[in-house]
Amino acid sequence: MAAYSPGVLVGNWHEAAFLEEVTAELGPSLPRPCSPGACLPLRPTDRMRDFIRKRDRGELLMQKISRLEENLLKKIKLSVSKDGFICFGDTVMLLSPDNKSSVDSYTGACGNLTLAINLEEISIYSAVSLQAPCGVSAVKTVDPVGRNTFCLLSVDGSSVGEPIRFGQKFGLGTTGGFSDPMLYLASDHKSFIRFAKKSHLQQVFLTDELSYLTCWQATFLDPQLRLEYEGSPVPANSKVIITHCHTNRSLAVPRNFWARSYFGREYEVICHTYLDSHRVEEGKNYWVIVTANPSDDGTMIDRPDSQPGGI
């Protein structure tokens, strides 16, 4: 085999970058680039051929991570609400609004947060697509991308396009920007082996099986008007309570429990109903089901208030 000259390209890879990848993947036993004037032939080995074969198939670690990031951070177009309500089949974001009136003050916990997929490190380095079970977290990204957009699913036979009503069961599914598989937001009673890592309360996760653990329902915000609004369509881009049907606990972001992830600091999402002294849900349980702005490529939360001074 002829010697490589400095600067030669190997396929689409530069020689130096190619050999660095070989060394990182296969260890220091491979031949290294020689000094100018004393260049020796680079002998092909079985391990190098295996490395090139993995590269051509897209099975290298850096290729897996790049593909995962490309899908999770891919921009997603949200559904437009034509009548002001959310419907089965809509693609939406679940946003935990900033509660400025809250007495809690945690560093970095202010601002709007969106529900998103949270991959463990082992999943990032081994998977080429989403694998169940998968975690969720609240992130500061309010732009719709693959990891923080969800589809509203029917679990009782309702047709796509029908409005979701208060008290009606629905599912929340996501593919994370991939073509498949679809994972579903779920929760279950806390146990000795299943609980949230930071708060030790009821865990929220993604699973690949539709069941009673993946059923949710929207509850009207004002407890004094809930009976009147039972069965009414759920408005889009308004504060609601999202309750887990099986455990009767509400989806929440405590905002004082956070952890470092592959994408930075992210906040824990749990199922727990936070009640104030009047037995009313606190801001930690508030959610806004966000749809697209029909006038541009943004979302309704980016739309300026038509009456900024109030009514």
Side-chain angles (χ1 to χ4, degrees), residues 127-162:
V128 294
S129 62
L130 296 182
Q131 302 292 325
C134 184
V136 293
S137 59
V139 301
K140 290 189 175 183
T141 302
V142 294
D143 296 324
V145 294
R147 68 184 299 238
N148 69 347
T149 53
F150 291 81
C151 182
L152 301 173
L153 307 173
S154 171
V155 297
D156 59 1
S158 300
S159 302
V160 173
E162 290 187 15

PDB file of all heavy atoms in Angstrom, residues 127-162:
ATOM      1  N   ALA A 127     -28.052   4.671  21.687  1.00  0.00           N
ATOM      2  CA  ALA A 127     -29.258   4.574  20.882  1.00  0.00           C
ATOM      3  C   ALA A 127     -29.153   5.409  19.610  1.00  0.00           C
ATOM      4  O   ALA A 127     -28.495   6.436  19.571  1.00  0.00           O
ATOM      5  CB  ALA A 127     -30.469   5.026  21.692  1.00  0.00           C
ATOM      6  N   VAL A 128     -29.800   4.939  18.559  1.00  0.00           N
ATOM      7  CA  VAL A 128     -29.918   5.701  17.322  1.00  0.00           C
ATOM      8  C   VAL A 128     -31.312   6.318  17.213  1.00  0.00           C
ATOM      9  O   VAL A 128     -31.590   7.077  16.308  1.00  0.00           O
ATOM     10  CB  VAL A 128     -29.642   4.806  16.097  1.00  0.00           C
ATOM     11  CG1 VAL A 128     -28.200   4.347  16.107  1.00  0.00           C
ATOM     12  CG2 VAL A 128     -30.579   3.603  16.062  1.00  0.00           C
ATOM     13  N   SER A 129     -32.210   5.969  18.138  1.00  0.00           N
ATOM     14  CA  SER A 129     -33.545   6.548  18.209  1.00  0.00           C
ATOM     15  C   SER A 129     -33.984   6.481  19.668  1.00  0.00           C
ATOM     16  O   SER A 129     -33.259   6.003  20.533  1.00  0.00           O
ATOM     17  CB  SER A 129     -34.521   5.800  17.300  1.00  0.00           C
ATOM     18  OG  SER A 129     -34.648   4.455  17.717  1.00  0.00           O
ATOM     19  N   LEU A 130     -35.176   6.963  19.940  1.00  0.00           N
ATOM     20  CA  LEU A 130     -35.671   6.957  21.313  1.00  0.00           C
ATOM     21  C   LEU A 130     -35.935   5.536  21.783  1.00  0.00           C
ATOM     22  O   LEU A 130     -36.477   4.716  21.057  1.00  0.00           O
ATOM     23  CB  LEU A 130     -36.955   7.781  21.397  1.00  0.00           C
ATOM     24  CG  LEU A 130     -36.828   9.271  21.087  1.00  0.00           C
ATOM     25  CD1 LEU A 130     -38.171   9.962  21.256  1.00  0.00           C
ATOM     26  CD2 LEU A 130     -35.792   9.929  21.984  1.00  0.00           C
ATOM     27  N   GLN A 131     -35.549   5.276  23.024  1.00  0.00           N
ATOM     28  CA  GLN A 131     -35.750   3.966  23.613  1.00  0.00           C
ATOM     29  C   GLN A 131     -36.571   4.117  24.886  1.00  0.00           C
ATOM     30  O   GLN A 131     -36.324   5.011  25.695  1.00  0.00           O
ATOM     31  CB  GLN A 131     -34.402   3.306  23.944  1.00  0.00           C
ATOM     32  CG  GLN A 131     -33.470   3.147  22.758  1.00  0.00           C
ATOM     33  CD  GLN A 131     -33.970   2.138  21.747  1.00  0.00           C
ATOM     34  OE1 GLN A 131     -34.579   1.143  22.118  1.00  0.00           O
ATOM     35  NE2 GLN A 131     -33.714   2.382  20.476  1.00  0.00           N
ATOM     36  N   ALA A 132     -37.574   3.267  25.065  1.00  0.00           N
ATOM     37  CA  ALA A 132     -38.408   3.300  26.264  1.00  0.00           C
ATOM     38  C   ALA A 132     -37.825   2.376  27.339  1.00  0.00           C
ATOM     39  O   ALA A 132     -37.236   1.347  27.017  1.00  0.00           O
ATOM     40  CB  ALA A 132     -39.828   2.866  25.916  1.00  0.00           C
ATOM     41  N   PRO A 133     -37.972   2.743  28.630  1.00  0.00           N
ATOM     42  CA  PRO A 133     -38.562   3.984  29.129  1.00  0.00           C
ATOM     43  C   PRO A 133     -37.587   5.148  29.002  1.00  0.00           C
ATOM     44  O   PRO A 133     -36.376   4.949  28.966  1.00  0.00           O
ATOM     45  CB  PRO A 133     -38.847   3.656  30.589  1.00  0.00           C
ATOM     46  CG  PRO A 133     -37.793   2.662  30.949  1.00  0.00           C
ATOM     47  CD  PRO A 133     -37.555   1.836  29.719  1.00  0.00           C
ATOM     48  N   CYS A 134     -38.144   6.349  28.957  1.00  0.00           N
ATOM     49  CA  CYS A 134     -37.342   7.547  28.753  1.00  0.00           C
ATOM     50  C   CYS A 134     -37.835   8.621  29.727  1.00  0.00           C
ATOM     51  O   CYS A 134     -39.027   8.674  30.047  1.00  0.00           O
ATOM     52  CB  CYS A 134     -37.476   8.015  27.301  1.00  0.00           C
ATOM     53  SG  CYS A 134     -36.462   9.429  26.866  1.00  0.00           S
ATOM     54  N   GLY A 135     -36.928   9.458  30.193  1.00  0.00           N
ATOM     55  CA  GLY A 135     -37.286  10.487  31.153  1.00  0.00           C
ATOM     56  C   GLY A 135     -37.790  11.758  30.495  1.00  0.00           C
ATOM     57  O   GLY A 135     -37.660  11.959  29.284  1.00  0.00           O
ATOM     58  N   VAL A 136     -38.377  12.632  31.301  1.00  0.00           N
ATOM     59  CA  VAL A 136     -38.812  13.945  30.847  1.00  0.00           C
ATOM     60  C   VAL A 136     -38.299  14.987  31.836  1.00  0.00           C
ATOM     61  O   VAL A 136     -37.987  14.683  32.991  1.00  0.00           O
ATOM     62  CB  VAL A 136     -40.347  14.039  30.728  1.00  0.00           C
ATOM     63  CG1 VAL A 136     -40.868  13.139  29.630  1.00  0.00           C
ATOM     64  CG2 VAL A 136     -41.022  13.727  32.053  1.00  0.00           C
ATOM     65  N   SER A 137     -38.234  16.215  31.381  1.00  0.00           N
ATOM     66  CA  SER A 137     -37.794  17.327  32.214  1.00  0.00           C
ATOM     67  C   SER A 137     -38.407  18.607  31.693  1.00  0.00           C
ATOM     68  O   SER A 137     -39.044  18.623  30.633  1.00  0.00           O
ATOM     69  CB  SER A 137     -36.263  17.420  32.231  1.00  0.00           C
ATOM     70  OG  SER A 137     -35.774  17.609  30.915  1.00  0.00           O
ATOM     71  N   ALA A 138     -38.233  19.691  32.424  1.00  0.00           N
ATOM     72  CA  ALA A 138     -38.700  21.005  32.000  1.00  0.00           C
ATOM     73  C   ALA A 138     -37.493  21.829  31.586  1.00  0.00           C
ATOM     74  O   ALA A 138     -36.507  21.923  32.334  1.00  0.00           O
ATOM     75  CB  ALA A 138     -39.462  21.693  33.129  1.00  0.00           C
ATOM     76  N   VAL A 139     -37.544  22.409  30.402  1.00  0.00           N
ATOM     77  CA  VAL A 139     -36.403  23.132  29.838  1.00  0.00           C
ATOM     78  C   VAL A 139     -36.808  24.565  29.528  1.00  0.00           C
ATOM     79  O   VAL A 139     -37.989  24.892  29.405  1.00  0.00           O
ATOM     80  CB  VAL A 139     -35.884  22.431  28.561  1.00  0.00           C
ATOM     81  CG1 VAL A 139     -35.467  21.010  28.873  1.00  0.00           C
ATOM     82  CG2 VAL A 139     -36.945  22.437  27.469  1.00  0.00           C
ATOM     83  N   LYS A 140     -35.804  25.422  29.389  1.00  0.00           N
ATOM     84  CA  LYS A 140     -36.067  26.833  29.128  1.00  0.00           C
ATOM     85  C   LYS A 140     -36.303  27.119  27.650  1.00  0.00           C
ATOM     86  O   LYS A 140     -36.643  28.248  27.296  1.00  0.00           O
ATOM     87  CB  LYS A 140     -34.892  27.680  29.631  1.00  0.00           C
ATOM     88  CG  LYS A 140     -34.785  27.717  31.151  1.00  0.00           C
ATOM     89  CD  LYS A 140     -33.755  28.724  31.612  1.00  0.00           C
ATOM     90  CE  LYS A 140     -33.746  28.854  33.124  1.00  0.00           C
ATOM     91  NZ  LYS A 140     -32.786  29.879  33.589  1.00  0.00           N
ATOM     92  N   THR A 141     -36.119  26.132  26.804  1.00  0.00           N
ATOM     93  CA  THR A 141     -36.369  26.316  25.376  1.00  0.00           C
ATOM     94  C   THR A 141     -37.867  26.407  25.122  1.00  0.00           C
ATOM     95  O   THR A 141     -38.604  25.470  25.406  1.00  0.00           O
ATOM     96  CB  THR A 141     -35.782  25.147  24.575  1.00  0.00           C
ATOM     97  OG1 THR A 141     -34.377  25.050  24.829  1.00  0.00           O
ATOM     98  CG2 THR A 141     -36.000  25.351  23.094  1.00  0.00           C
ATOM     99  N   VAL A 142     -38.308  27.548  24.593  1.00  0.00           N
ATOM    100  CA  VAL A 142     -39.734  27.729  24.296  1.00  0.00           C
ATOM    101  C   VAL A 142     -39.984  27.720  22.795  1.00  0.00           C
ATOM    102  O   VAL A 142     -41.109  27.991  22.357  1.00  0.00           O
ATOM    103  CB  VAL A 142     -40.262  29.035  24.924  1.00  0.00           C
ATOM    104  CG1 VAL A 142     -40.237  28.950  26.434  1.00  0.00           C
ATOM    105  CG2 VAL A 142     -39.460  30.237  24.443  1.00  0.00           C
ATOM    106  N   ASP A 143     -38.964  27.411  22.007  1.00  0.00           N
ATOM    107  CA  ASP A 143     -39.152  27.222  20.574  1.00  0.00           C
ATOM    108  C   ASP A 143     -39.507  25.763  20.316  1.00  0.00           C
ATOM    109  O   ASP A 143     -38.886  24.859  20.891  1.00  0.00           O
ATOM    110  CB  ASP A 143     -37.878  27.589  19.805  1.00  0.00           C
ATOM    111  CG  ASP A 143     -37.520  29.058  19.941  1.00  0.00           C
ATOM    112  OD1 ASP A 143     -38.452  29.878  19.978  1.00  0.00           O
ATOM    113  OD2 ASP A 143     -36.319  29.382  20.027  1.00  0.00           O
ATOM    114  N   PRO A 144     -40.492  25.497  19.464  1.00  0.00           N
ATOM    115  CA  PRO A 144     -40.905  24.104  19.225  1.00  0.00           C
ATOM    116  C   PRO A 144     -39.863  23.322  18.451  1.00  0.00           C
ATOM    117  O   PRO A 144     -39.550  23.635  17.306  1.00  0.00           O
ATOM    118  CB  PRO A 144     -42.199  24.264  18.417  1.00  0.00           C
ATOM    119  CG  PRO A 144     -42.103  25.610  17.780  1.00  0.00           C
ATOM    120  CD  PRO A 144     -41.319  26.470  18.717  1.00  0.00           C
ATOM    121  N   VAL A 145     -39.291  22.319  19.094  1.00  0.00           N
ATOM    122  CA  VAL A 145     -38.325  21.421  18.473  1.00  0.00           C
ATOM    123  C   VAL A 145     -38.768  19.993  18.736  1.00  0.00           C
ATOM    124  O   VAL A 145     -39.781  19.747  19.404  1.00  0.00           O
ATOM    125  CB  VAL A 145     -36.894  21.666  19.010  1.00  0.00           C
ATOM    126  CG1 VAL A 145     -36.383  23.040  18.593  1.00  0.00           C
ATOM    127  CG2 VAL A 145     -36.852  21.539  20.535  1.00  0.00           C
ATOM    128  N   GLY A 146     -38.001  19.047  18.235  1.00  0.00           N
ATOM    129  CA  GLY A 146     -38.397  17.649  18.341  1.00  0.00           C
ATOM    130  C   GLY A 146     -38.598  17.169  19.759  1.00  0.00           C
ATOM    131  O   GLY A 146     -39.533  16.407  20.037  1.00  0.00           O
ATOM    132  N   ARG A 147     -37.779  17.619  20.685  1.00  0.00           N
ATOM    133  CA  ARG A 147     -37.818  17.071  22.040  1.00  0.00           C
ATOM    134  C   ARG A 147     -38.882  17.696  22.929  1.00  0.00           C
ATOM    135  O   ARG A 147     -39.160  17.164  24.005  1.00  0.00           O
ATOM    136  CB  ARG A 147     -36.442  17.192  22.698  1.00  0.00           C
ATOM    137  CG  ARG A 147     -35.979  18.613  23.003  1.00  0.00           C
ATOM    138  CD  ARG A 147     -34.568  18.612  23.558  1.00  0.00           C
ATOM    139  NE  ARG A 147     -34.476  17.863  24.802  1.00  0.00           N
ATOM    140  CZ  ARG A 147     -34.034  18.396  25.950  1.00  0.00           C
ATOM    141  NH1 ARG A 147     -33.661  19.662  25.993  1.00  0.00           N
ATOM    142  NH2 ARG A 147     -33.947  17.666  27.036  1.00  0.00           N
ATOM    143  N   ASN A 148     -39.476  18.814  22.560  1.00  0.00           N
ATOM    144  CA  ASN A 148     -40.470  19.441  23.445  1.00  0.00           C
ATOM    145  C   ASN A 148     -41.835  19.639  22.778  1.00  0.00           C
ATOM    146  O   ASN A 148     -42.614  20.482  23.201  1.00  0.00           O
ATOM    147  CB  ASN A 148     -39.951  20.769  23.990  1.00  0.00           C
ATOM    148  CG  ASN A 148     -39.848  21.850  22.932  1.00  0.00           C
ATOM    149  OD1 ASN A 148     -39.930  21.572  21.738  1.00  0.00           O
ATOM    150  ND2 ASN A 148     -39.662  23.083  23.358  1.00  0.00           N
ATOM    151  N   THR A 149     -42.120  18.882  21.735  1.00  0.00           N
ATOM    152  CA  THR A 149     -43.435  18.931  21.098  1.00  0.00           C
ATOM    153  C   THR A 149     -44.140  17.589  21.284  1.00  0.00           C
ATOM    154  O   THR A 149     -43.510  16.534  21.238  1.00  0.00           O
ATOM    155  CB  THR A 149     -43.327  19.256  19.599  1.00  0.00           C
ATOM    156  OG1 THR A 149     -42.416  18.344  18.971  1.00  0.00           O
ATOM    157  CG2 THR A 149     -42.843  20.677  19.387  1.00  0.00           C
ATOM    158  N   PHE A 150     -45.457  17.654  21.493  1.00  0.00           N
ATOM    159  CA  PHE A 150     -46.256  16.471  21.767  1.00  0.00           C
ATOM    160  C   PHE A 150     -47.507  16.483  20.896  1.00  0.00           C
ATOM    161  O   PHE A 150     -47.988  17.544  20.486  1.00  0.00           O
ATOM    162  CB  PHE A 150     -46.659  16.409  23.245  1.00  0.00           C
ATOM    163  CG  PHE A 150     -45.507  16.143  24.178  1.00  0.00           C
ATOM    164  CD1 PHE A 150     -44.664  17.173  24.572  1.00  0.00           C
ATOM    165  CD2 PHE A 150     -45.255  14.869  24.653  1.00  0.00           C
ATOM    166  CE1 PHE A 150     -43.600  16.943  25.430  1.00  0.00           C
ATOM    167  CE2 PHE A 150     -44.189  14.618  25.507  1.00  0.00           C
ATOM    168  CZ  PHE A 150     -43.365  15.657  25.890  1.00  0.00           C
ATOM    169  N   CYS A 151     -48.027  15.295  20.644  1.00  0.00           N
ATOM    170  CA  CYS A 151     -49.257  15.137  19.884  1.00  0.00           C
ATOM    171  C   CYS A 151     -50.371  14.720  20.839  1.00  0.00           C
ATOM    172  O   CYS A 151     -50.175  13.848  21.694  1.00  0.00           O
ATOM    173  CB  CYS A 151     -49.077  14.090  18.788  1.00  0.00           C
ATOM    174  SG  CYS A 151     -50.539  13.852  17.755  1.00  0.00           S
ATOM    175  N   LEU A 152     -51.539  15.369  20.708  1.00  0.00           N
ATOM    176  CA  LEU A 152     -52.690  15.043  21.538  1.00  0.00           C
ATOM    177  C   LEU A 152     -53.404  13.839  20.941  1.00  0.00           C
ATOM    178  O   LEU A 152     -53.892  13.894  19.812  1.00  0.00           O
ATOM    179  CB  LEU A 152     -53.626  16.244  21.621  1.00  0.00           C
ATOM    180  CG  LEU A 152     -52.998  17.518  22.212  1.00  0.00           C
ATOM    181  CD1 LEU A 152     -53.957  18.695  22.088  1.00  0.00           C
ATOM    182  CD2 LEU A 152     -52.614  17.299  23.668  1.00  0.00           C
ATOM    183  N   LEU A 153     -53.476  12.747  21.690  1.00  0.00           N
ATOM    184  CA  LEU A 153     -53.963  11.474  21.175  1.00  0.00           C
ATOM    185  C   LEU A 153     -55.301  11.106  21.792  1.00  0.00           C
ATOM    186  O   LEU A 153     -55.568  11.383  22.971  1.00  0.00           O
ATOM    187  CB  LEU A 153     -52.950  10.365  21.457  1.00  0.00           C
ATOM    188  CG  LEU A 153     -51.513  10.616  20.979  1.00  0.00           C
ATOM    189  CD1 LEU A 153     -50.594   9.515  21.478  1.00  0.00           C
ATOM    190  CD2 LEU A 153     -51.461  10.718  19.467  1.00  0.00           C
ATOM    191  N   SER A 154     -56.133  10.449  21.006  1.00  0.00           N
ATOM    192  CA  SER A 154     -57.417   9.967  21.490  1.00  0.00           C
ATOM    193  C   SER A 154     -57.249   8.586  22.112  1.00  0.00           C
ATOM    194  O   SER A 154     -56.586   7.719  21.548  1.00  0.00           O
ATOM    195  CB  SER A 154     -58.420   9.903  20.328  1.00  0.00           C
ATOM    196  OG  SER A 154     -59.607   9.251  20.730  1.00  0.00           O
ATOM    197  N   VAL A 155     -57.844   8.398  23.273  1.00  0.00           N
ATOM    198  CA  VAL A 155     -57.796   7.097  23.945  1.00  0.00           C
ATOM    199  C   VAL A 155     -59.190   6.522  24.151  1.00  0.00           C
ATOM    200  O   VAL A 155     -59.327   5.423  24.703  1.00  0.00           O
ATOM    201  CB  VAL A 155     -57.073   7.207  25.310  1.00  0.00           C
ATOM    202  CG1 VAL A 155     -55.634   7.611  25.111  1.00  0.00           C
ATOM    203  CG2 VAL A 155     -57.795   8.191  26.223  1.00  0.00           C
ATOM    204  N   ASP A 156     -60.240   7.251  23.729  1.00  0.00           N
ATOM    205  CA  ASP A 156     -61.616   6.781  23.921  1.00  0.00           C
ATOM    206  C   ASP A 156     -62.384   6.658  22.612  1.00  0.00           C
ATOM    207  O   ASP A 156     -63.615   6.581  22.622  1.00  0.00           O
ATOM    208  CB  ASP A 156     -62.355   7.721  24.874  1.00  0.00           C
ATOM    209  CG  ASP A 156     -62.408   9.158  24.359  1.00  0.00           C
ATOM    210  OD1 ASP A 156     -61.886   9.417  23.254  1.00  0.00           O
ATOM    211  OD2 ASP A 156     -62.979  10.017  25.067  1.00  0.00           O
ATOM    212  N   GLY A 157     -61.661   6.648  21.483  1.00  0.00           N
ATOM    213  CA  GLY A 157     -62.321   6.488  20.198  1.00  0.00           C
ATOM    214  C   GLY A 157     -62.734   7.777  19.522  1.00  0.00           C
ATOM    215  O   GLY A 157     -63.359   7.732  18.452  1.00  0.00           O
ATOM    216  N   SER A 158     -62.406   8.926  20.095  1.00  0.00           N
ATOM    217  CA  SER A 158     -62.753  10.202  19.462  1.00  0.00           C
ATOM    218  C   SER A 158     -61.947  10.389  18.185  1.00  0.00           C
ATOM    219  O   SER A 158     -60.796   9.935  18.081  1.00  0.00           O
ATOM    220  CB  SER A 158     -62.484  11.358  20.422  1.00  0.00           C
ATOM    221  OG  SER A 158     -63.261  11.231  21.598  1.00  0.00           O
ATOM    222  N   SER A 159     -62.531  11.059  17.217  1.00  0.00           N
ATOM    223  CA  SER A 159     -61.895  11.256  15.913  1.00  0.00           C
ATOM    224  C   SER A 159     -60.893  12.408  15.965  1.00  0.00           C
ATOM    225  O   SER A 159     -61.016  13.330  16.779  1.00  0.00           O
ATOM    226  CB  SER A 159     -62.954  11.547  14.844  1.00  0.00           C
ATOM    227  OG  SER A 159     -63.896  10.498  14.773  1.00  0.00           O
ATOM    228  N   VAL A 160     -59.923  12.336  15.066  1.00  0.00           N
ATOM    229  CA  VAL A 160     -58.955  13.422  14.921  1.00  0.00           C
ATOM    230  C   VAL A 160     -59.683  14.679  14.466  1.00  0.00           C
ATOM    231  O   VAL A 160     -60.508  14.643  13.558  1.00  0.00           O
ATOM    232  CB  VAL A 160     -57.855  13.032  13.913  1.00  0.00           C
ATOM    233  CG1 VAL A 160     -56.941  14.220  13.635  1.00  0.00           C
ATOM    234  CG2 VAL A 160     -57.053  11.846  14.431  1.00  0.00           C
ATOM    235  N   GLY A 161     -59.382  15.781  15.110  1.00  0.00           N
ATOM    236  CA  GLY A 161     -60.042  17.039  14.783  1.00  0.00           C
ATOM    237  C   GLY A 161     -61.149  17.413  15.742  1.00  0.00           C
ATOM    238  O   GLY A 161     -61.577  18.579  15.763  1.00  0.00           O
ATOM    239  N   GLU A 162     -61.614  16.465  16.545  1.00  0.00           N
ATOM    240  CA  GLU A 162     -62.631  16.779  17.543  1.00  0.00           C
ATOM    241  C   GLU A 162     -61.993  17.519  18.721  1.00  0.00           C
ATOM    242  O   GLU A 162     -60.883  17.190  19.138  1.00  0.00           O
ATOM    243  CB  GLU A 162     -63.313  15.510  18.052  1.00  0.00           C
ATOM    244  CG  GLU A 162     -64.217  14.830  17.049  1.00  0.00           C
ATOM    245  CD  GLU A 162     -64.982  13.678  17.672  1.00  0.00           C
ATOM    246  OE1 GLU A 162     -65.011  13.599  18.921  1.00  0.00           O
ATOM    247  OE2 GLU A 162     -65.544  12.861  16.915  1.00  0.00           O
TER     248      GLU A 162
END
